[in-house]
Amino acid sequence: MFIHKIITPMFIRRFECVGSECLSHCCQDWFISIDKKTYKKYHSADSIEIKQISQDYVLKSDRPGAYAYIRLTEKKLCPFLTEKRLCGIYSKLGPSAMSHTCREYPRSAVTYQNATFKRLSLSCPEVVRQLLFSADAMQLTEEDQFLKKIPQDAELTDPKYLVYLWCMNLVQAPSPEFEDNLYAVMQLLTFISKLNYDIETNFDRIQGVYEFLLNATENGELTAERRALPHPVSFQTGILSVYGKFIPKLSRNGPFLLSTYINTLNQLGLDEQQTTARTEENMARLRAEWKVQQQDSCLSESYTLRNLFSYLLYHSQFPHADNFGGDVAGSDNALSHLSLLVMDYFYLRTNLAALAATEKRLLTERDVQLLLAAYFSLKMHMGDINKDLLALMESCRMSDALACICLLDN
């Protein structure tokens, strides 16, 4: 008998679709593929309404791997969506009749030989709400699954999971400023990379550095050091421009994301009269706005940002560097993996601050839900963003550690 662990954050155990109350309905503007069995089920349904809709909107597909698909209406809505914004398939034929995509979204899982990690997509605004605004959202639960055969999946190694736990603990540690937590993670990974990710041989040394960084984070000893490091605004605006190139390509949530991005450009004064001094002054103003929002808005609870970044580590199965050989390049390198997650955080932080500054008010949960869901929808559908971000780092001659430092100024 083989023991397989099922790992689930607490907020995922509690998650339920809110249906018609959703702020950004998933039954719109997305390509939904269906298999042959589902295609036949809809076309031969006992419900006359479902059968009639299927004749016009459930069509065979030319796409590889998709037998058929659901054609959207002129308003880019699923034709089975009722006036009350509920699923007609669900109500008339039952949940088992829904397509695999509709039945599973926003749920997914990452499976190793010895463990499965349950996940939810942050492109769903209700997932964002459950994650950020519940104190125990990232409390992990474990269940034992007893299997007769050992799965053929790759094994989650102890060294890789140890690095994940060290970094997760640093992210969740109490600190005067959340950016200190991310700075501590960067320092730990830099130290481990110098040891070529040889965790077992150097365990005591790494544990010592981890404990030092944990205490320094909690005591606020990293703040002054982090702030004193260089934070070139040209690299920060360069990061924002990479995202800006992809935003117009997004259909669902694209207009909202574009409007918030334009807010940011306006707040930074990125126009024909742009100067470095002016941009630095405006970026400093947005940082000050962000600090106000951290203290007074819906983001004021200490766990909100820690929950977000903890889940980014968890969802992306941090760290990469699969063989821990120290020579893994690109986004599969552990430090590069971290720098890309810090870029996510920087983008969200800057655009939320710009939204608040533009509308001259405190952020609401609705603001945060909509912006994060739109952003992670972009990341989910535009796979080349990370490639372009890494290319920007290379062109600016930025190491992964330097890139993190540049984006953690506060």
Side-chain angles (χ1 to χ4, degrees):
M1 193 69 71
F2 182 79
I3 299 178
H4 184 89
K5 296 284 186 183
I6 307 295
I7 300 173
T8 313
M10 188 64 72
F11 84 100
I12 293 180
R13 298 179 73 93
R14 291 194 291 254
F15 173 79
E16 290 184 3
C17 175
V18 295
S20 60
E21 301 301 316
C22 187
L23 297 180
S24 177
H25 217 292
C26 57
C27 302
Q28 62 184 30
D29 221 9
W30 279 0
F31 178 86
I32 302 298
S33 63
I34 58 175
D35 58 23
K36 186 176 183 179
K37 181 179 178 181
T38 305
Y39 173 85
K40 290 184 175 181
K41 183 183 295 184
Y42 290 177
H43 278 267
S44 60
D46 292 335
S47 167
I48 296 176
E49 182 183 352
I50 297 297
K51 186 183 292 186
Q52 287 178 338
I53 293 174
S54 299
Q55 296 294 327
D56 295 327
Y57 290 97
V58 180
L59 311 173
K60 291 186 178 179
S61 172
D62 295 329
R63 290 195 185 188
Y67 178 81
Y69 71 100
I70 299 175
R71 182 170 67 87
L72 300 180
T73 67
E74 291 182 358
K75 295 182 179 180
K76 296 187 177 181
L77 298 174
C78 174
F80 296 109
L81 195 64
T82 69
E83 291 182 359
K84 295 182 178 181
R85 301 181 80 214
L86 295 172
C87 177
I89 294 291
Y90 186 99
S91 61
K92 295 184 180 298
L93 302 184
S96 62
M98 297 172 71
S99 70
H100 175 78
T101 301
C102 298
R103 193 165 57 246
E104 294 299 319
Y105 178 82
R107 301 167 185 84
S108 66
V110 175
T111 301
Y112 297 94
Q113 183 183 94
N114 47 343
T116 292
F117 293 81
K118 296 294 185 71
R119 307 189 303 179
L120 290 173
S121 173
L122 289 174
S123 60
C124 168
E126 177 62 14
V127 172
V128 174
R129 188 185 72 82
Q130 292 275 5
L131 169 64
L132 265 65
F133 304 116
S134 301
D136 63 345
M138 279 307 294
Q139 179 182 323
L140 301 184
T141 65
E142 289 189 5
E143 299 175 73
D144 289 339
Q145 185 180 47
F146 298 95
L147 305 177
K148 293 182 178 180
K149 294 183 179 180
I150 298 178
Q152 298 302 305
D153 304 287
E155 184 180 13
L156 176 63
T157 64
D158 288 341
K160 185 173 182 178
Y161 198 56
L162 262 175
V163 172
Y164 164 74
L165 292 176
W166 277 323
C167 294
M168 180 72 89
N169 289 340
L170 288 175
V171 166
Q172 294 181 336
S175 65
E177 295 183 0
F178 176 64
E179 280 74 8
D180 291 346
N181 298 69
L182 304 185
Y183 182 57
V185 173
M186 182 276 295
Q187 288 191 313
L188 179 66
L189 285 180
T190 300
F191 180 76
I192 293 174
S193 69
K194 291 177 180 177
L195 300 174
N196 291 321
Y197 296 92
D198 187 352
I199 308 300
E200 295 180 1
T201 303
N202 298 285
F203 176 81
D204 290 339
R205 294 177 65 191
I206 299 171
Q207 180 69 19
V209 171
Y210 158 72
E211 291 177 358
F212 170 81
L213 289 170
L214 185 63
N215 290 330
T217 301
E218 294 175 347
N219 296 331
E221 297 170 9
L222 300 179
T223 307
E225 176 183 327
R226 172 177 57 78
R227 287 181 173 178
L229 294 168
H231 304 89
V233 73
S234 59
F235 181 67
Q236 296 175 350
T237 55
I239 293 292
L240 296 174
S241 69
V242 170
Y243 292 108
K245 184 176 76 173
F246 288 91
I247 289 172
K249 301 178 183 179
L250 184 68
S251 50
R252 178 178 177 244
N253 292 328
F256 172 77
L257 206 57
L258 183 60
S259 68
T260 59
Y261 181 68
I262 292 172
N263 283 344
T264 302
L265 298 183
N266 291 335
Q267 289 292 329
L268 290 173
L270 299 181
D271 53 29
E272 64 278 0
Q273 297 178 340
Q274 174 187 357
T275 65
T276 301
R278 182 183 174 208
T279 306
E280 287 178 348
E281 180 181 341
N282 288 333
M283 187 67 81
R285 186 168 49 79
L286 283 186
R287 288 196 300 270
E289 179 65 46
W290 177 243
K291 194 166 186 177
V292 170
Q293 297 300 322
Q294 283 182 290
Q295 292 173 346
D296 300 329
S297 77
C298 64
L299 300 173
S300 61
E301 295 289 353
S302 61
Y303 54 76
T304 55
L305 297 179
R306 287 169 175 78
N307 282 356
L308 171 62
F309 209 90
S310 295
Y311 188 64
L312 293 182
L313 295 178
Y314 175 92
H315 186 275
S316 62
Q317 289 300 285
F318 178 88
H320 286 174
D322 294 333
N323 60 11
F324 271 66
D327 57 353
V328 180
S331 60
D332 287 335
N333 176 279
L335 266 169
S336 294
H337 189 168
L338 177 68
S339 66
L340 289 168
L341 296 181
V342 170
M343 289 177 201
D344 286 336
Y345 171 70
F346 171 76
Y347 176 89
L348 293 168
R349 183 187 81 176
T350 305
N351 282 272
L352 284 169
L355 175 62
T358 299
E359 302 198 359
K360 298 179 181 180
R361 61 175 175 81
L362 294 177
L363 294 168
T364 65
E365 288 189 11
R366 186 178 188 276
D367 295 325
V368 176
Q369 285 178 259
L370 286 173
L371 183 57
L372 265 67
Y375 173 72
F376 286 105
S377 179
L378 178 75
K379 290 297 293 277
M380 182 169 67
H381 290 95
M382 307 292 172
D384 288 340
I385 291 181
N386 285 347
K387 187 187 302 181
D388 281 22
L389 290 170
L390 292 174
L392 175 66
M393 286 169 53
E394 185 175 349
S395 67
C396 293
R397 298 183 179 179
M398 285 280 183
S399 67
D400 296 300
L402 277 176
C404 289
I405 291 169
C406 286
L407 303 177
L408 292 181
D409 185 21
N410 195 29

